[in-house]
Amino acid sequence: MRKKVALLYTGGTIGCDGFPLAPVPGEIFRERFNAIPWYSGGALRVGGNEIVCRIEWISRPADSSDLVPIDWLAMASWVLERYERYDGFVILHGTDTMSWSTSALSFLLQGLSRPVVFTGSQLPLFQERSDAAQNLLTSVILAATFDIPEVSLFFDHLLLRGNRSVKVDARSFTAFASPNYPELGRAGTEIVINRSLHLDPPASAVSLDDPLNRIARLKELSLLRQVMADYCVVALTLFPGIPAGMIDALLSLSPRLRGIVLKSFGSGNAPVSGGFIDALARAREQGVVVVDATQVLSGTVRMKNYETGYLLQQRAHAVCGHDLTAEAALAKLICLTGKALVEGRGTDYVEKGIETLICGEMTL
Ligand code: ASP
């Protein structure tokens, strides 16, 4: 069978060169990709399949530290505009902010029926001992021949749900983990996918297989783009002694502030003394949604466990982030806030949305 995969090069270590490392332009990356021994014939033969790749790039491939939410919209549009022509999609991305992008795309591409696999590497493609070619090859095979209808992240030997992934190691080739959800698959001598763990294909009414749904989604993305500059959302990591004044300062610094992901302690706790929770309550009164998402890597938020979490809910009306990663919480908050602005809805819409399971991002 002939399979087609579209690749989008956005930058990151995988395409870096020089000292200090910086991503090469798209044309150079394509030349390097075409020179990879397993792709040099212009196609890849795996099992009975011939996989043809088309490589494209964003206008300015970047270190992922430089990517912003508007880039997520562009990546989602890129997938939608090519949807019918390809069996799957691979997005090459820097590892630093990959988990924010995978999370955002999972929310922006609801109704996905084809694989969108993010990957990157810890060493540049053409450096000795690089992990890039292996990550790339397996991601292409996953996108072309495994029907995994969701946004995933493949790295080293692990296939993870994108909105459950977290970067946990800046040196090891196994850079990502999924602390609150089992891995979707593993690539060892064989690729083994656990079908019971990935999302079910979408119902036909919402499926992106339907061109009308794709047109509607593209329109939504362009409307989101128009409101992106009108609001902002922040993530705030709690630490012992955090001054309540930080919340007031955030509010006065940015009148566009619409949401805070509070990376709280333990099972979702925040200081009651020092007026911190009261400051959050004032923010909430001004229309800022507060999401309680723990800074602990594994486990879930239980706001009724301790008084310090209970008051966060009762006084500041913080919404429970359950076991969302902080990355997924931020991406979800940004996407929902944008949608609320586009549709003229209030904070209650965003708060309800945060607590609603959308695409496997949390355990209720
Ligand atoms: N700074 C790089 C980036 O995120 C790191 C990497 O790709 O591993 O773009």
Side-chain angles (χ1 to χ4, degrees):
M1 280 250 274
R2 193 176 155 87
K3 300 280 188 177
K4 285 163 76 182
V5 174
L7 286 99
L8 181 67
Y9 163 60
T10 69
T13 296
I14 194 162
C16 274
D17 219 353
F19 179 80
L21 288 170
V24 297
E27 292 80 359
I28 297 181
F29 187 80
R30 181 176 53 193
E31 262 170 43
R32 292 181 178 188
F33 177 82
N34 286 334
I36 301 176
W38 50 254
Y39 197 70
S40 52
L44 170 67
R45 277 165 202 85
V46 195
N49 295 309
E50 182 188 54
I51 307 172
V52 179
C53 299
R54 179 178 165 83
I55 185 144
E56 297 178 58
W57 48 89
I58 60 171
S59 52
R60 245 195 263 160
D63 187 293
S64 72
S65 318
D66 272 328
L67 297 180
V68 294
I70 281 188
D71 295 309
W72 303 337
L73 303 180
M75 290 179 217
S77 302
W78 176 83
V79 170
L80 289 170
E81 282 157 2
R82 286 151 188 78
Y83 204 77
E84 231 166 14
R85 286 179 277 139
Y86 294 93
D87 297 284
F89 302 88
V90 172
I91 300 186
L92 305 173
H93 196 290
T95 59
D96 289 347
T97 69
M98 197 186 296
S99 292
W100 280 271
S101 293
T102 54
S103 298
L105 262 77
S106 74
F107 301 121
L108 297 172
L109 292 174
Q110 282 170 61
L112 196 64
S113 58
R114 297 175 191 202
V116 173
V117 186
F118 275 72
T119 197
S121 63
Q122 292 283 55
L123 290 173
L125 184 59
F126 271 78
Q127 192 162 311
E128 320 73 64
R129 295 189 55 253
S130 175
D131 52 332
Q134 220 19 267
N135 287 349
L136 198 45
L137 173 59
T138 308
S139 298
V140 167
I141 295 171
L142 284 165
T145 60
F146 288 81
D147 297 323
I148 303 165
E150 58 176 285
V151 176
S152 60
L153 184 157
F154 178 76
F155 216 88
D156 191 33
H157 64 291
L158 296 175
L159 181 70
L160 309 176
R161 172 162 297 160
N163 57 32
R164 294 287 198 151
S165 68
V166 199
K167 183 172 176 181
V168 289
D169 201 318
R171 286 209 306 189
S172 161
F173 285 152
T174 317
F176 289 88
S178 170
N180 284 324
Y181 194 75
E183 60 226 27
L184 301 178
R186 268 177 181 251
T189 52
E190 315 164 41
I191 298 176
V192 180
I193 301 298
N194 191 337
R195 300 247 162 228
S196 65
L197 290 173
H198 67 61
L199 293 177
D200 291 331
S204 54
V206 294
S207 175
L208 292 176
D209 278 340
D210 183 338
L212 293 178
N213 287 341
R214 295 201 298 274
I215 292 170
R217 190 61 54 79
L218 278 166
K219 174 130 192 272
E220 206 176 297
L221 291 172
S222 107
L223 292 171
L224 278 174
R225 196 175 199 289
Q226 288 169 30
V227 298
M228 276 271 159
D230 299 342
Y231 70 98
C232 75
V233 158
V234 298
L236 186 66
T237 306
L238 295 189
F239 53 87
I242 185 169
M246 267 184 86
I247 301 294
D248 297 316
L250 276 175
L251 277 173
S252 57
L253 252 180
S254 180
R256 296 180 303 127
L257 185 68
R258 285 284 165 276
I260 300 175
V261 171
L262 198 67
K263 294 171 76 176
S264 56
F265 299 123
S267 54
N269 309 313
V272 179
S273 55
F276 187 79
I277 287 184
D278 295 327
L280 283 174
R282 285 195 293 282
R284 168 62 166 56
E285 271 161 30
Q286 293 183 38
V288 176
V289 172
V290 180
V291 182
D292 186 1
T294 177
Q295 59 186 262
V296 179
L297 205 51
S298 178
T300 193
V301 168
R302 295 206 191 284
M303 299 180 78
K304 291 192 173 71
N305 258 16
Y306 295 91
E307 193 182 26
T308 44
Y310 187 68
L311 291 178
L312 195 55
Q313 191 174 49
Q314 295 301 307
R315 278 202 214 152
H317 301 283
V319 282
C320 182
H322 300 277
D323 61 352
L324 281 174
T325 63
E327 290 84 339
L330 190 94
K332 193 173 181 182
L333 189 53
I334 290 178
C335 294
L336 283 168
T337 308
K339 206 160 176 238
L341 279 178
V342 165
E343 295 178 11
R345 300 183 192 242
T347 47
D348 52 329
Y349 170 83
V350 180
E351 290 174 340
K352 258 198 212 118
I354 290 288
E355 298 232 35
T356 305
L357 178 63
I358 296 179
C359 46
E361 72 278 15
M362 60 188 184
T363 320
L364 289 181

